[in-house]
Amino acid sequence: MVARARSSGAVAVICIGESLLAAELSAALATRHSGFLFWTAGIHPHDAAPFDPERDLPVVRDHVRRGAVAVGECGLDYHYDNAPRSSQRAAFSAQLVLAGELGVPAVVHSRDAEPDTMALLEETSRTGTRGVMHCFTGSHALARAALDAGWYISFSGIVTFRSWTDEALLRLVPDERLLAESDAPYLAPVPNRGRRNEPAWVPRTVDRLAAARGVSAALLGEHVRANAAALFGLAGRAAGRY
């Protein structure tokens, strides 16, 4: 998978540690593929019920000290409600504050929770917290709120599906705030939909974004690459050239 990602043109891959266990596994992968694979550490909203700030935040902090490039995936998910909403908000808020304190971005998941997401983004933007709305399928209002807070918006293979109709959203995000992602192993872009996703297929999403924005895929790919390097602090750390 790493070899295929390199062959597709990727100069770095960020492996999302959406739980403390996943973060540790991702850190081990990053060690094996130093200079190409990086990792994050956080607590997903699905796992927020047992969140204990005194126990869990020091672990996330230690991951950042060891080289994790972001806090998360964290956020709110009121679609599945796998954890009480109050627990989700507490875990999300604490991780946003920690990201700002550590000077690293937050990777944010938001589903059917836009008012609370916007409120927390506004609250923590005053502390300098920055990050990315990952796998974005939300409203224009949420996108603008994130952009106003200085955040980035990332799109996944969902935008290649026939069910995607919001072309204006794909054009709303400025070049300097746009990201593309795999969300692997989920959401493989067309024509690979239904298969286990992987980073090598991100160019399919880039092609789709470029077509919607009326620019070349090569140009949009350069924007995405530069934005990822800037947000996650990869310049000077990744083996690839930015």
Side-chain angles (χ1 to χ4, degrees), residues 132-136 154-157 179-184 197 202 205:
V132 55
M133 299 301 298
H134 120 90
C135 195
F136 193 78
S154 181
F155 294 102
S156 70
L179 291 173
E181 64 178 271
S182 68
D183 197 36
N197 199 6
V202 170
T205 300

Side-chain angles (χ1 to χ4, degrees), residues 191-215:
N192 301 307
R193 187 176 182 183
R195 299 169 61 187
R196 185 187 70 175
N197 199 6
E198 59 180 80
W201 297 339
V202 170
R204 302 283 188 180
T205 300
V206 170
D207 289 345
R208 176 69 176 86
L209 292 170
R213 296 165 71 92
V215 299

Side-chain angles (χ1 to χ4, degrees), residues 43-64:
I43 293 96
H44 193 280
H46 290 340
D47 303 318
F51 173 73
D52 180 339
E54 293 187 2
R55 178 194 64 209
D56 298 334
L57 292 183
V59 179
V60 176
R61 184 189 300 273
D62 184 62
H63 272 282
V64 173

Side-chain angles (χ1 to χ4, degrees), residues 140-157:
H140 290 215
L142 179 56
R144 291 192 182 98
L147 293 169
D148 288 346
W151 284 49
Y152 292 70
I153 305 290
S154 181
F155 294 102
S156 70

Side-chain angles (χ1 to χ4, degrees), residues 7-238:
S7 295
S8 75
V11 294
V13 169
I14 296 172
C15 191
I16 302 298
E18 84 289 350
S19 68
L20 298 183
L21 174 59
E24 200 58 50
L25 295 171
S26 298
L29 284 172
T31 299
R32 286 172 53 193
H33 302 283
S34 179
F36 181 74
L37 199 150
F38 299 86
W39 87 101
T40 75
I43 293 96
H44 193 280
H46 290 340
D47 303 318
F51 173 73
D52 180 339
E54 293 187 2
R55 178 194 64 209
D56 298 334
L57 292 183
V59 179
V60 176
R61 184 189 300 273
D62 184 62
H63 272 282
V64 173
R65 180 191 61 79
R66 291 160 52 193
V69 297
V71 170
E73 175 181 346
C74 57
L76 303 173
D77 194 312
Y78 294 172
H79 180 79
Y80 290 107
D81 276 330
N82 286 347
R85 294 182 179 185
S86 59
S87 299
Q88 292 187 47
R89 290 190 291 269
F92 184 28
S93 177
Q95 289 177 89
L96 287 177
V97 170
L98 181 63
E101 176 188 330
L102 298 176
V104 296
V107 177
V108 169
H109 169 112
S110 178
R111 188 170 185 184
D112 294 348
E114 293 202 358
D116 283 349
T117 299
M118 282 191 273
L120 284 167
L121 288 182
E122 181 180 356
E123 178 183 320
T124 56
S125 68
R126 293 191 290 270
T127 67
T129 302
R130 59 200 176 96
V132 55
M133 299 301 298
H134 120 90
C135 195
F136 193 78
T137 59
S139 69
H140 290 215
L142 179 56
R144 291 192 182 98
L147 293 169
D148 288 346
W151 284 49
Y152 292 70
I153 305 290
S154 181
F155 294 102
S156 70
I158 289 177
V159 303
T160 71
F161 297 176
R162 283 187 296 177
S163 57
W164 183 272
T165 59
D166 195 348
E167 297 297 288
L169 179 61
L170 304 185
R171 295 189 287 269
L172 183 151
V173 182
D175 290 343
E176 66 274 14
R177 299 284 189 79
L178 181 67
L179 291 173
E181 64 178 271
S182 68
D183 197 36
Y186 312 107
L187 304 176
V190 174
N192 301 307
R193 187 176 182 183
R195 299 169 61 187
R196 185 187 70 175
N197 199 6
E198 59 180 80
W201 297 339
V202 170
R204 302 283 188 180
T205 300
V206 170
D207 289 345
R208 176 69 176 86
L209 292 170
R213 296 165 71 92
V215 299
S216 72
L219 177 61
L220 191 136
E222 288 301 317
H223 288 313
V224 166
R225 183 180 303 188
N227 293 344
L231 177 63
F232 294 107
L234 301 184
R237 297 182 63 183

